[in-house]
Amino acid sequence: MPVLDAALFRPGFLWGAATSAAQIEGAADTRGPSIWDRFCAEPGRIMDGSNIDVACDHVHRFHEDVQLMRWLGTKAYRFSIAWPRVQPDGRGAWNEAGFAFYDRLIDELVAAGIQPHVTLYHWDLPAALHDDFGGWQSREVVPLFAAYAAEVARRFGSRVKSIATLNEPWCVATLGYETAQFAPGLTSRAAAAQVSHHLLLAHGAAIEAMRQVTRTPLGIVLNHTPAFPAEPTEADRRAARLDDGLNVRWYMDPIFRGSYPADVIEHLGADAPKTEPGDLERIAQPLDFLGVNFYTRSFISTQQPAVPAPGAMGFTDMGWEVYPKALTQHLVRITREYSPPPIFITENGMANPDTVTGGRVHDEARINYLREHLLAVSRAIELGVDVRGYFYWSLLDNFEWNSGYTKRFGLFHVDYATQVRTAKDSAHWYREFIRQHAAVASGS
Ligand code: IFM
């Protein structure tokens, strides 16, 4: 059985952890409302009826949270800026107090020797843009996003190590506008397709605008869930190919090839997005890095009832199959098909029903998940994939969108009643692995 060895990762490989603004910040009274505040207020949308008013209270506890990272030994932190915190209406006046918060956070990280990696859009659209334009359904949001991106890059570009435009546009478009699982909770396939085009266009416009004001590396973060046919039948293969088209190629093709996949356009028919001349050239901006978020695979069965995923390595508390082999295969495949820029695994992790017992959280399942996925990354590197870093999702237990606070992904357990953070066994394991890597890298 292959054994994980820190020496498999070259010196300089970046170890990090990730979060997002809406999921941890709280202090909702000091920013503009987002579509997630609205969504949480609608009965039945969030599993436990919770909201993001307080979350992990990170705005008031960021000093402590940076110290947690310092203890962990992670050299990089991926976080997002809440657009409604720095520009409450998504256009017009900037909120200087909002920028001051991120300014302090960046200072604190740099002082602790932790690289700040910023994401501009992790789903918390200013509610005013939904009220006035229908959110991402409207092309009018594209220049507003580019202006916001340029302002962040102008202020922080010289101090942060990278800026990603969007986090997981597939989730924004499909879960937000087609299946209603996420804000704003709409159910239109045509709207979702149009939204995906506007998101990609906003990404391209933001990259263009930021290149004018910063030299920091710029990229995008995509969630990839590779599709596997359940059985070797033509029907399952075709369904898996379409699933791959909707989740992977719909975003990778325009970004790296300047075109939408023809089979998905055909599948969407009249629901395919309306585009304008020059849009695809604008989307296909050269990038400095690609962020890949990987959690599981899609197991595609056309049979009734569907053939279930085998789950030989188990399922997480989200019900997601643990299947690390798909990560290696997928990284090799996208490298071969798209020749992307350097890759960072910007999210990978698992939800587990963690509890604190005697001051400890015994999350053996997460340690196994982490170990197996790091092994999968190391295999991809051996096979020639240029992976430069790994960010565990998430630093802290946090608001897991429509699951509310019922799912725990963190390396640190959060008691939401007291806001006490407790390092889980997986945090101790990750810390030791990072320490071993540093020792190998320094030759000691
Ligand atoms: O919590 C989310 C994150 O915001 C985006 N990627 C997937 C994570 C787990 O569902």
Side-chain angles (χ1 to χ4, degrees):
M1 208 156 102
V3 177
L4 180 65
D5 180 347
L8 295 168
F9 297 88
R10 71 179 145 199
F13 190 91
L14 208 54
W15 300 107
T19 64
S20 91
Q23 293 176 272
I24 65 164
E25 279 186 1
D29 55 338
T30 56
R31 58 162 172 75
S34 81
I35 55 172
W36 273 93
D37 295 297
R38 295 276 177 78
F39 194 65
C40 291
E42 290 176 27
R45 294 293 201 184
I46 310 297
M47 201 181 277
D48 57 3
S50 62
N51 62 41
I52 54 175
D53 288 358
V54 177
C56 304
D57 198 28
H58 173 73
V59 164
H60 300 117
R61 294 168 195 268
F62 73 94
H63 299 285
E64 178 187 348
D65 293 338
V66 172
Q67 288 316 308
L68 299 181
M69 289 183 247
R70 196 175 196 161
W71 173 84
L72 202 53
T74 40
K75 289 285 175 277
Y77 175 46
R78 173 175 178 247
F79 63 97
S80 76
I81 291 188
W83 187 355
R85 184 172 294 288
V86 298
Q87 194 178 34
D89 292 333
R91 57 190 161 148
W94 303 112
N95 176 23
E96 290 305 327
F99 275 121
F101 164 65
Y102 297 110
D103 200 50
R104 289 195 300 274
L105 173 62
I106 292 167
D107 272 352
E108 187 103 357
L109 288 165
V110 172
I114 300 166
Q115 299 181 2
H117 291 258
V118 164
T119 302
L120 294 170
Y121 187 74
H122 200 123
W123 310 353
D124 41 1
L125 188 75
L129 297 184
H130 189 76
D131 296 344
D132 297 346
F133 303 114
W136 290 107
Q137 294 171 95
S138 166
R139 203 175 163 99
E140 304 222 35
V141 177
V142 171
L144 298 176
F145 181 71
Y148 152 62
E151 186 63 16
V152 171
R154 188 181 70 74
R155 291 179 185 241
F156 298 141
S158 61
R159 285 189 292 150
V160 302
K161 285 292 176 189
S162 76
I163 302 180
T165 51
L166 307 175
N167 181 69
E168 304 184 350
W170 177 88
C171 293
V172 178
T174 304
L175 305 182
Y177 292 79
E178 183 173 347
T179 66
Q181 288 158 275
F182 283 6
L186 304 188
T187 52
S188 159
R189 187 176 79 158
Q194 195 61 50
V195 162
S196 66
H197 180 63
H198 291 152
L199 285 164
L200 284 162
L201 196 56
H203 154 76
I207 296 281
E208 261 179 359
M210 290 192 288
R211 292 276 187 222
Q212 307 300 315
V213 295
T214 185
R215 296 168 94 100
T216 204
L218 305 177
I220 189 168
V221 172
L222 303 177
N223 58 304
H224 283 173
T225 309
F228 286 65
E231 296 189 319
T233 61
E234 184 54 20
D236 282 10
R237 279 207 194 98
R238 284 168 71 101
R241 178 77 185 151
L242 178 61
D243 192 87
D244 174 75
L246 290 163
N247 174 247
V248 177
R249 290 179 288 119
W250 186 255
Y251 296 91
M252 291 292 279
D253 280 19
I255 292 170
F256 295 111
R257 295 180 176 163
S259 60
Y260 282 116
D263 60 328
V264 182
I265 292 280
E266 191 188 332
H267 164 78
L268 291 173
D271 290 343
K274 317 280 170 285
T275 63
E276 292 185 10
D279 281 3
L280 280 145
E281 289 74 15
R282 199 160 196 210
I283 292 169
Q285 299 289 320
L287 298 181
D288 304 311
F289 70 92
L290 170 67
V292 173
N293 293 355
F294 175 90
Y295 289 89
T296 185
R297 66 168 170 174
S298 289
F299 196 69
I300 307 290
S301 168
T302 53
Q303 271 200 47
Q304 291 301 335
V307 176
M313 298 185 72
F315 293 86
T316 74
D317 202 28
M318 297 296 281
W320 299 346
E321 188 191 12
V322 179
Y323 197 78
K325 210 159 73 178
L327 177 55
T328 309
Q329 289 174 0
H330 187 68
L331 291 171
V332 169
R333 174 244 172 145
I334 59 172
T335 296
R336 196 181 58 230
E337 291 184 10
Y338 295 95
S339 306
I343 293 173
F344 289 83
I345 305 302
T346 31
E347 289 182 26
N348 174 241
M350 73 174 287
N352 199 49
D354 302 316
T355 50
V356 183
T357 324
R360 296 297 295 254
V361 179
H362 299 305
D363 57 342
E364 195 61 29
R366 184 174 288 104
I367 294 174
N368 291 337
Y369 184 98
L370 199 40
R371 184 192 293 112
E372 292 301 322
H373 285 82
L374 293 184
L375 204 47
V377 173
S378 74
R379 281 203 205 104
I381 293 171
E382 274 168 9
L383 293 168
V385 180
D386 186 5
V387 185
R388 303 275 177 97
Y390 173 93
F391 293 79
Y392 179 79
W393 181 273
S394 177
L395 177 69
L396 305 170
D397 289 342
N398 59 45
F399 177 78
E400 178 53 25
W401 308 110
N402 57 343
S403 300
Y405 297 97
T406 65
K407 305 294 176 196
R408 295 181 176 274
F409 277 85
L411 291 168
F412 290 89
H413 179 277
V414 176
D415 178 332
Y416 296 108
T418 61
Q419 292 294 346
V420 167
R421 278 83 159 128
T422 305
K424 301 180 187 177
D425 287 355
S426 57
H428 290 272
W429 185 91
Y430 192 36
R431 179 177 191 246
E432 175 56 20
F433 185 75
I434 294 170
R435 195 197 60 71
Q436 280 172 18
H437 179 252
V440 173
S442 70
S444 55

